[in-house]
Amino acid sequence: MQQTNSETNVSRQNPITWVPSVYFAMGLPFVVLNMVAVLMFKGLGVKDSQITFWTSLIMMPWTFKFLWSPFLELYRSKKFFVVTTQLVTGAGFALVGLALNLPHYFTVCIALMALIAFSGATHDIATDGVYMAELSKEDQARFIGWQGAFYNIAKIVASGGLVWLAGWLLKHYGGVKGAPEDVMHHAAAQAWMVVMVALGVLMLLLGFYHMRMLPQGGKRTEKSMTAAETLDELVRVLGDFFKKRHIFYYIAFIILYRFAEGFVMKVVPLFLKAGREVGGLGLSEEEIGLYYGTFGAAAFVLGSILAGYYISHFGLKRTLFSLCCVFNLPFVAYTLLSWYQPENGIFIGEAIILEYFGYGFGFVGLTLFMMQQIAPGKHQMAHYAFASGIMNLGVMLPGMASGAFSDWLGYKYFFIFTLVATIPAFLITYFVPFTYEDKK
């Protein structure tokens, strides 16, 4: 009885005490594996083809997380899985940092990152389950901006703060221009080791915080089920998902909405770091981190929060196409950067502001659409996981091929190609039907 009262007290806390922090914890592993690891391995001298392929492949758990999402509804509480995965992820990042000094560091790090990806994908399922179970539909819309903002703040902390720190430490350990290759490699390994261990400690602290502050996310299922019964349940949940109205249109929609982003995501860090003689901007890790952590931070948070209130006021149905338009603004920014290769930091900063505001503003619409038009029903947590997994497949596959495309086309024409790749997103978003009533 005492435990029940305690859980009730926690669940009555203002969502502002846990929504920002838990979605910050959600964003960190995804961004580090998807973006920061690209710069880390580039600095360590790994080939671009290996970087783009393996850092895309390890993201697979975010695509196929729907396969184990029903298990999270059948065992323990959603809070248990959120906290456990945060602790596992923290330990994993610390081990990645320590592994950078091993002879076969790339193989070991990729294996550890694959484990982190599985933990992070599981964390996403349970976190979204808590969000949907604890908040009403109106509160979901009200806090969707905060959710997106702090997920994107994690992106800023990772791609901005951690990358800047790595660049500063690189110089501290002697990794300056003109240094011998072995000195550069040692300096990069030491710098990124410190960064990864610090990231691991941060994830562990978030896990301990959410032990106290996170609500349970609904009652757990007490019935003990056999493996066969659980598998049957998975099949039923999957079957129910594909029986939803307009589901195949929705699947195409969530894939195409981010299709162009899938091509850009892996290439952008390489483009920023590549030398000007090969079409890049020639920025250091410290410069990249500084641009993202200053220009990008404010634009990202502002875009995410404004989008939440924009949708809450006008309704998702009336705003979705405009959100899609704003979401695709970053591809225009990178096209301009690749063609003009500005050296002036103001111009680079303006392009990054456009990128981060557009991404923060537009992504909120897709998230809320999946929550309110695809997920509702008996298995909303699992069905939201199905939808977000399919969405990530639409990002992962182009990402695996993006390196080959950029090598073939060159940065200038590669980014023009991504502009063409946005056309299907505009068309399918304009005509997408709504199954459920759209509340402002």
Side-chain angles (χ1 to χ4, degrees):
M1 184 68 179
Q2 184 178 357
Q3 180 181 4
T4 302
N5 291 336
S6 176
E7 292 175 359
T8 301
N9 290 336
V10 171
S11 67
R12 288 177 179 173
Q13 290 182 359
N14 192 315
I16 204 68
T17 63
W18 58 270
V19 170
S21 59
V22 79
Y23 278 91
F24 178 81
M26 177 191 283
L28 277 178
F30 185 86
V31 174
V32 170
L33 297 186
N34 211 24
M35 296 179 63
V36 178
V38 173
L39 287 171
M40 181 180 76
F41 289 132
K42 180 72 173 176
L44 291 167
V46 181
K47 294 180 180 179
D48 288 359
S49 57
Q50 287 183 293
I51 294 173
T52 55
F53 180 81
W54 287 105
T55 57
S56 294
L57 189 62
I58 61 174
M59 307 305 290
M60 193 174 293
W62 273 282
T63 298
F64 295 104
K65 61 186 178 182
F66 64 84
L67 293 175
W68 61 91
S69 59
F71 291 80
L72 307 190
E73 291 191 295
L74 300 174
Y75 299 103
R76 304 297 294 263
S77 67
K78 299 177 183 71
K79 175 181 177 177
F80 168 81
F81 288 104
V82 171
V83 172
T84 300
T85 52
Q86 286 175 4
L87 298 178
V88 170
T89 297
F93 276 125
L95 291 173
V96 167
L98 298 176
L100 291 174
N101 291 298
L102 298 176
H104 302 287
Y105 69 91
F106 183 72
T107 303
V108 177
C109 286
I110 288 295
L112 287 169
M113 287 179 174
L115 174 63
I116 293 171
F118 179 82
S119 175
T122 304
H123 176 273
D124 288 10
I125 300 168
T127 298
D128 289 326
V130 172
Y131 186 87
M132 290 185 287
E134 292 291 331
L135 301 183
S136 66
K137 200 168 186 179
E138 290 75 16
D139 281 342
Q140 288 176 23
R142 186 173 296 113
F143 285 97
I144 194 72
W146 290 100
Q147 179 203 109
F150 277 83
Y151 184 94
N152 293 330
I153 286 175
K155 184 176 181 180
I156 298 299
V157 169
S159 61
L162 295 181
V163 172
W164 179 89
L165 178 60
W168 184 85
L169 289 169
L170 184 66
K171 292 180 179 179
H172 176 74
Y173 288 112
V176 295
K177 288 184 179 181
E181 185 177 344
D182 58 336
V183 174
M184 289 293 294
H185 179 87
H186 176 74
Q190 295 302 112
W192 284 107
M193 178 186 70
V194 173
V195 169
M196 288 293 155
V197 171
L199 176 61
V201 171
L202 177 58
M203 287 298 303
L204 290 173
L205 291 175
L206 285 166
F208 294 135
Y209 174 79
H210 291 129
M211 283 183 184
R212 168 62 185 152
M213 302 304 295
L214 191 68
Q216 295 295 316
K219 296 180 179 179
R220 64 188 181 186
T221 302
E222 299 292 344
K223 179 184 177 183
S224 178
M225 299 183 68
T226 65
E229 289 172 335
T230 304
L231 182 60
D232 288 341
E233 177 67 12
L234 173 59
V235 172
R236 284 194 295 272
V237 172
L238 277 170
D240 289 343
F241 179 78
F242 287 102
K243 291 176 183 177
K244 288 176 176 283
R245 190 181 180 191
H246 305 306
I247 190 58
F248 292 104
Y249 195 112
Y250 289 165
I251 289 173
F253 166 71
I254 59 181
I255 288 176
L256 293 176
Y257 195 94
R258 298 184 67 191
F259 185 65
E261 180 202 352
F263 283 102
V264 169
M265 184 177 293
K266 294 294 179 183
V267 174
V268 164
L270 299 175
F271 163 68
L272 294 176
K273 188 168 172 59
R276 291 182 171 272
E277 68 279 3
V278 294
L281 294 185
L283 301 180
S284 66
E285 288 89 348
E286 197 171 3
E287 289 173 316
I288 294 171
L290 184 62
Y291 282 127
Y292 280 159
T294 55
F295 295 111
F300 225 150
V301 174
L302 181 63
S304 299
I305 295 177
L306 286 180
Y309 289 105
Y310 175 57
I311 298 170
S312 179
H313 182 72
F314 292 103
L316 183 61
K317 191 171 185 178
R318 291 177 59 188
T319 59
L320 187 59
F321 183 75
S322 61
L323 292 166
C324 179
C325 293
V326 177
F327 182 77
N328 288 283
L329 284 176
F331 311 126
V332 177
Y334 279 117
T335 302
L336 294 174
L337 286 180
S338 66
W339 277 85
Y340 292 102
Q341 292 182 278
E343 296 184 23
N344 190 317
I346 295 177
F347 291 120
I348 297 175
E350 288 175 347
I352 290 176
I353 287 173
L354 180 62
E355 174 204 358
Y356 271 75
F357 180 86
Y359 188 85
F361 194 87
F363 188 75
V364 170
L366 179 60
T367 302
L368 195 59
F369 185 91
M370 291 191 297
M371 284 187 173
Q372 296 192 352
Q373 298 300 318
I374 300 177
K378 182 180 179 182
H379 305 286
Q380 67 172 357
M381 184 177 78
H383 287 177
Y384 183 81
F386 297 164
S388 58
I390 294 169
M391 174 190 68
N392 282 296
L393 179 65
V395 176
M396 186 190 78
L397 294 179
M400 293 178 69
S402 61
F405 272 85
S406 64
D407 288 344
W408 175 45
L409 296 171
Y411 290 123
K412 289 183 178 180
Y413 294 101
F414 172 78
F415 286 115
I416 289 178
F417 164 75
T418 61
L419 292 179
V420 177
T422 64
I423 295 174
F426 291 131
L427 293 175
I428 200 166
T429 302
Y430 187 80
F431 294 104
V432 67
F434 275 59
T435 298
Y436 299 96
E437 180 184 359
D438 178 39
K439 292 185 177 180
K440 295 184 181 180

